Amino acid sequence: MTTTVPQVTPARRGGVAAARARHGAGRVLAALARSVAIFVPVFLVATFVTFALRSLSGLSPARIQLGEEATPEAIHRIEAQWGLDKPFLTQYWDWFSGVLHGQLGTSWVNGADISTLIGLGLGVSLSVATFALIIGVVVGFGLGTLAALRRTTAVDRAITGFVTVISVMPAFVVGIVLVAVLAVGLHLFPSAGYIPAEQGFGPWLAHITLPALALSFDVIADVARQLRASLVAAYEENYVTGAVVRGLSPRRIFFGHVLRNGLGPTLATLGQKFPALVGASVVTEWIFGLQGFGRFANDSAQAGDVPAVQGVLVVSIVLVVSFNLIINLVLARVMPASQRGV
């Protein structure tokens, strides 16, 4: 008796591929819908709390402009000019409507447009933070993968020790060392300042390299440790054992099964890192003479410029939520091998 092996036709292969594509698109759309459903109420609550901080702070543009000796009549006149004599909810709605149109208000200190001021600083910080994230992901990915592939060996222990050391090194200390060695000592990079990319890619890259390196150490450490732990855990799963029994090559097992399952926690870690790099770089910006987003936030808070601080908080909220939305979409696209029944 002859057994006939069913043939997989090109049409059938195309149908399977199309079904997988539809399934993948469905996962991405579902993740997008969930993220948007979370973003809207979070944004509303966060902006309301942010605006309410002005009332709780007790600060007033009149006291900033006129000083502590201002008369009650002068204070009332200035506050009326800024619309602060209106009911709280009316003030909030006027401000929130402007936020939805990209208008974050006017500075109490110098009367400048806050959106413009934040845009200037944000361009600097995003350049440095993006480059720092790229360095951290590339180096951390390489170290974490190598440590997992050489787990329990001297290479694994050396990498673990290295990332432990750099994880406790403050960015401002690393920045000072980089300036002393690479800028002052070897004259490889400028020690301070910033040149926009429109004025030349080379000078722009040279000016952001040292601050990006200083900020990347923490990202390298977190990515390497998280990826190493996730990959080692994935290698111990039953679906990897099954893939080995089926005779799959180590390369296919790693890229097709282990890596796809190990990327999830690492990507979730990155979702918290990028906004932190943008907002928590005040000291680094001082060291390298950068007028960035973090330095603007610090200066605004010290000056009591409440509208500027509110604008900083709104932009920070958007950065956090937007980057996490991107991470969620990537996670939805990366389908874990264990869910395919391998």
Side-chain angles (χ1 to χ4, degrees):
M1 181 177 181
T2 303
T3 302
T4 302
V5 179
Q7 299 294 321
V8 179
T9 64
R12 184 176 180 182
R13 284 197 298 267
V16 172
R20 289 179 177 175
R22 288 193 298 270
H23 184 58
R27 291 199 312 273
V28 172
L29 290 176
L32 179 62
R34 288 194 301 269
S35 300
V36 171
I38 295 174
F39 168 77
V40 173
V42 167
F43 184 72
L44 289 174
V45 173
T47 53
F48 183 83
V49 172
T50 296
F51 187 81
L53 292 177
R54 185 201 64 78
S55 299
L56 298 176
S57 68
L59 296 173
S60 168
R63 297 197 179 275
I64 294 177
Q65 297 175 15
L66 304 177
E68 294 297 330
E69 303 300 326
T71 63
E73 293 78 11
I75 292 176
H76 179 75
R77 183 179 67 255
I78 295 295
E79 290 185 347
Q81 292 176 359
W82 288 89
L84 302 182
D85 58 338
K86 299 178 181 179
F88 173 79
L89 292 180
T90 302
Q91 295 181 45
Y92 170 71
W93 177 249
D94 292 341
W95 175 79
F96 184 71
S97 301
V99 168
L100 294 180
H101 291 86
Q103 300 172 2
L104 300 176
T106 305
S107 170
W108 283 357
V109 175
N110 53 28
D113 181 64
I114 294 174
S115 300
T116 303
L117 296 176
I118 289 180
L120 295 174
L122 192 60
V124 177
S125 295
L126 284 178
S127 298
V128 175
T130 302
F131 195 26
L133 189 70
I134 292 173
I135 296 172
V137 169
V138 172
V139 178
F141 186 91
L143 292 176
T145 302
L146 182 59
L149 294 176
R150 298 290 185 268
R151 54 193 178 278
T152 70
T153 67
V155 174
D156 182 19
R157 289 192 291 272
I159 293 175
T160 302
F162 172 71
V163 298
T164 300
V165 170
I166 66 174
S167 67
V168 298
M169 296 176 64
F172 71 90
V173 174
V174 177
I176 294 173
V177 173
L178 291 175
V179 170
V181 176
L182 299 181
V184 178
L186 300 177
H187 304 286
L188 296 178
F189 298 96
S191 60
Y194 177 79
I195 293 180
E198 305 84 58
Q199 299 181 16
F201 179 79
W204 168 78
L205 186 63
H207 280 80
I208 68 171
T209 296
L210 292 187
L213 281 174
L215 290 175
S216 69
F217 275 33
D218 188 50
V219 182
I220 292 173
D222 283 354
V223 170
R225 286 186 297 196
Q226 183 62 67
L227 186 61
R228 188 257 180 206
S230 300
L231 294 180
V232 170
Y235 268 116
E236 297 174 353
E237 294 293 336
N238 291 332
Y239 57 82
V240 174
T241 303
V244 173
V245 172
R246 290 168 55 192
L248 299 182
S249 65
R251 179 186 296 271
R252 184 175 178 183
I253 292 173
F254 176 76
F255 287 103
H257 305 298
V258 175
L259 182 60
R260 298 188 72 177
N261 285 271
L263 276 180
T266 306
L267 289 175
T269 300
L270 291 179
Q272 308 299 323
K273 280 296 173 184
F274 184 72
L277 290 174
V278 176
S281 58
V282 181
V283 178
T284 305
E285 291 174 359
W286 273 104
I287 292 173
F288 293 98
L290 303 175
Q291 292 292 337
F293 181 73
R295 191 169 175 180
F296 173 76
N298 179 72
D299 293 344
S300 300
Q302 290 187 348
D305 194 349
V306 175
V309 174
Q310 290 174 335
V312 167
L313 292 175
V314 169
V315 173
S316 300
I317 294 167
V318 172
L319 285 175
V320 171
V321 175
S322 299
F323 195 75
N324 277 276
L325 172 61
I326 295 173
I327 294 298
N328 288 338
L329 295 180
V330 174
L331 284 172
R333 187 66 184 88
V334 179
M335 184 177 181
S338 59
Q339 295 181 3
R340 297 203 301 264
V342 178

